[in-house]
Amino acid sequence: MTKQNVLITGATGAIGKSIASMIALKPNYHVFIVARNPEKGETCLAQIKKLSENEQVSLLIADLSRKEDIQSLANKWKEPLHILINNAAIAPPRRKETKEGLEMQFATNVLSYFWMTELFRNKMEIDSGRVVNVASYWAGGLDLKDLEFKKRSYDNDHAYRQSKQANRMLSAALAEKFPHIAINSCHPGDVSSQLSSDLGFGGYETPEQGAKTPLWLATDSAGLDNSGKYFERMREIRCPFCQDSEAVKELYEICSTY
C-alpha cells in the first residue's frame, strides 16, 4: 500500500482528535491536521504523535471560516490528497460574523466543507480519492432564504441542525458533480465535547466510539464503494433531505456564490 495523505479539519476537538489519532495508528498514512489556534494545534499534534508513535503527522494553520485561508492551504498543497475529512464545527451561543460579514456557524460548519472540497478537488482526482463529511442525525430546519439567520432570530441549536442538514445535502450535490471522488456524509457518535456543551447536550460515548463511523468511511473500502450516501453507525441510512433534488441543487448554487 502506498502512503495515503489525509487532511482533517476540526482535529483539535474530541472526535476530530480521535479520528486523526486512530488513522495515525495505521501504517502508511500521513495525517495533516488543520487548526485555527497555533498553540492548541501544537498541543494536539504532540498528543497525536505520542499516542500513535507516528512522526508522519503535520499541523497546518488556517481559519476555516475564511475562504482566503482555505485557498491559501490549497495553493500550498503540493502532494496528492487521498482522504479529506471535513469535521470542523462550532455552535456559538450568540450570532457572530466573520471578518467578511458571514454568519460564523454557517461559514464554519457549511461553507468550509464546501470550500475545502471545491478547492482541494484537483488534488484528489486520483483512483482512491475520497471525502468524509462529518454531519449529524441532529439535522433539519434548513431555510434556503435565510441561511445566515439575518431574518430569523438566531438560535445556536437551530443553526447547528440547519448546518448538518446542509452537510448531508451538499455531500450528495458534490458527489454528483465530481464522480471521480467518493463523497459521503455520516453521523459520528454522541461524545461529550465543547460543541455538545455549547448545544446543551452531554454525551454517552467515548471519543473513540464517536470516531468509529468517520474512521470507517475514511479507511475502509466502503468509503470508496459508495458516494453521495449518508451513514450512521457504519450503516447506510436513507436521507430524506437528499431526496429533494431541487433543494439540493439550490443549496449548491447558493454556496457557489460565496
Side-chain angles (χ1 to χ4, degrees):
M1 178 180 176
T2 58
K3 181 181 72 173
Q4 301 274 294
N5 294 317
V6 185
L7 181 58
I8 175 170
T9 69
T12 60
I15 293 175
K17 186 188 300 181
S18 186
I19 296 170
S21 298
M22 292 166 77
I23 293 178
L25 281 165
K26 296 176 177 289
N28 299 315
Y29 286 93
H30 189 155
V31 179
F32 295 81
I33 63 173
V34 182
R36 180 180 56 192
N37 183 305
E39 183 177 350
K40 195 172 180 180
E42 290 289 353
T43 298
C44 180
L45 179 70
Q47 291 171 339
I48 294 171
K49 284 185 173 181
K50 182 178 180 180
L51 174 66
S52 65
E53 298 183 343
N54 182 357
E55 287 300 312
Q56 292 294 294
V57 185
S58 303
L59 171 65
L60 304 174
I61 302 299
D63 182 344
L64 295 168
S65 70
R66 307 191 69 199
K67 186 178 183 179
E68 67 177 40
D69 275 27
I70 295 175
Q71 182 70 72
S72 179
L73 280 183
N75 290 344
K76 294 174 183 176
W77 188 276
K78 303 303 181 185
E79 301 182 76
L81 178 58
H82 302 87
I83 305 164
L84 169 61
I85 305 173
N86 289 310
N87 170 70
I90 60 171
R94 291 172 296 280
R95 189 183 186 279
K96 295 182 179 180
E97 291 188 350
T98 67
K99 292 180 180 179
E100 292 74 24
L102 303 180
E103 191 274 305
M104 185 69 75
Q105 189 169 174
F106 175 65
T108 303
N109 296 13
V110 180
L111 290 177
S112 81
Y113 285 37
F114 180 81
W115 290 332
M116 287 292 293
T117 305
E118 287 274 358
L119 295 174
F120 275 90
R121 64 182 176 83
N122 289 334
K123 322 287 185 179
M124 301 189 70
E125 290 184 348
I126 50 180
D127 291 340
S128 57
R130 68 178 95 184
V131 177
V132 179
N133 289 325
V134 179
S136 179
Y137 60 35
W138 191 242
L142 182 83
D143 186 342
L144 289 168
K145 304 302 181 186
D146 189 28
L147 292 170
E148 296 188 57
F149 285 83
K150 293 181 177 180
K151 300 174 184 177
R152 294 174 289 170
S153 175
Y154 175 84
D155 175 271
N156 70 334
D157 180 60
H158 292 169
Y160 180 78
R161 290 183 67 243
Q162 172 179 266
S163 74
K164 296 295 105 177
Q165 177 180 345
N167 291 157
R168 288 157 63 168
M169 293 168 67
L170 284 173
S171 298
L174 290 162
E176 183 174 350
K177 188 170 181 62
F178 307 126
H180 300 300
I181 305 172
I183 304 174
N184 294 292
S185 63
C186 68
H187 168 69
D190 295 309
V191 175
S192 180
S193 64
Q194 180 63 55
L195 178 67
S196 67
S197 177
D198 288 341
L199 290 169
F201 300 125
Y204 64 93
E205 293 181 291
T206 66
E208 292 74 23
Q209 290 172 320
K212 195 172 182 180
T213 299
L215 176 72
W216 173 70
L217 284 172
T219 60
D220 189 87
S221 60
L224 284 176
D225 295 341
N226 295 280
S227 193
K229 305 293 180 59
Y230 169 68
F231 295 84
E232 294 176 8
R233 302 194 181 282
M234 298 192 296
R235 290 177 54 248
E236 181 185 342
I237 301 294
R238 181 182 178 277
C239 177
F241 310 125
C242 297
Q243 307 305 310
D244 187 343
S245 58
E246 288 302 314
V248 167
K249 180 181 179 181
E250 185 176 354
L251 177 62
Y252 177 86
E253 290 175 348
I254 292 171
C255 289
S256 297
T257 66
Y258 284 87

